[in-house]
Amino acid sequence: MGSDWVNAAGSVFSALGTVGAFIVGFVLLRREQNREAERAEDERRGQAARISAWIEEYRKPNDARELAFHVHNASEMPIYEVELPMPEGGETEFVGLVPPGQTIRRPAPESWRRSYVEPEPVEIEFLDSAGRRWKRNEQGRLTSAAESGQNTVR
């Protein structure tokens, strides 16, 4: 009877070891899948994360001051269909294309001068080089059209 008990205990420990190994393997696999998903998301957002827009006053060559929107593309690819939606239902400022590594400047409406104090970010919408639509709000939060429920351009 003693050897039966030892055999039974060995079988139980062997089964527990197998189950434990399965659980550890599953946990490690799940962690790797999460890391891969994060890497894929970072890659997908890579270009969009390098786009910014702000409003700032600058001096013209004749020493006059002008308020302007600036759109900067710090990525290595152009961005397309760039739009600066105006707050409170105003007209959208269409910029079009912003080449890689460049900053485009557009005059801001005079109505913005009343509230201008210092450079500040503005909302921007654009297509990245892969055709995905992105939006960055005034607080700098970047969202894709898929996250915000908008349709993407094919």
Side-chain angles (χ1 to χ4, degrees):
M1 180 158 150
S3 69
D4 288 340
W5 187 86
V6 170
N7 284 339
S11 294
V12 168
F13 285 123
S14 176
L16 288 175
T18 301
V19 170
F22 174 76
I23 290 171
V24 168
F26 181 76
V27 167
L28 292 175
L29 175 65
R30 189 73 183 132
R31 283 185 187 168
E32 184 57 32
Q33 286 175 333
N34 288 342
R35 275 191 223 121
E36 187 60 36
E38 287 174 11
R39 277 192 292 268
E41 179 65 11
D42 287 347
E43 186 176 311
R44 186 176 72 86
R45 297 173 72 89
Q47 181 182 20
R50 293 178 177 91
I51 310 303
S52 57
W54 67 96
I55 189 166
E56 184 174 20
E57 190 175 66
Y58 73 99
R59 286 192 187 273
K60 294 170 77 172
N62 65 1
D63 214 29
R65 292 177 180 242
E66 187 171 274
L67 198 58
F69 295 112
H70 297 77
V71 178
H72 181 66
N73 178 1
S75 75
E76 296 176 2
M77 297 293 291
I79 57 172
Y80 307 92
E81 296 185 18
V82 177
E83 298 178 0
L84 301 167
M86 298 297 113
E88 299 156 11
E91 294 257 339
T92 296
E93 177 72 23
F94 184 76
V95 176
L97 176 115
V98 179
Q102 291 191 21
T103 301
I104 300 296
R105 184 168 52 197
R106 293 282 193 275
E110 193 58 37
S111 60
W112 282 69
R113 181 158 297 289
R114 289 188 295 266
S115 63
Y116 178 77
V117 177
E118 60 185 26
E120 62 181 295
V122 294
E123 186 175 315
I124 182 174
E125 295 181 17
F126 60 93
L127 290 178
D128 67 11
S129 60
R132 292 180 289 253
R133 181 159 290 285
W134 296 93
K135 180 177 183 178
R136 184 181 298 280
N137 68 14
E138 298 92 345
Q139 290 77 37
R141 186 173 190 283
L142 181 66
T143 55
S144 73
E147 293 170 19
S148 62
Q150 297 175 358
N151 293 327
T152 56
V153 174
R154 289 161 202 75

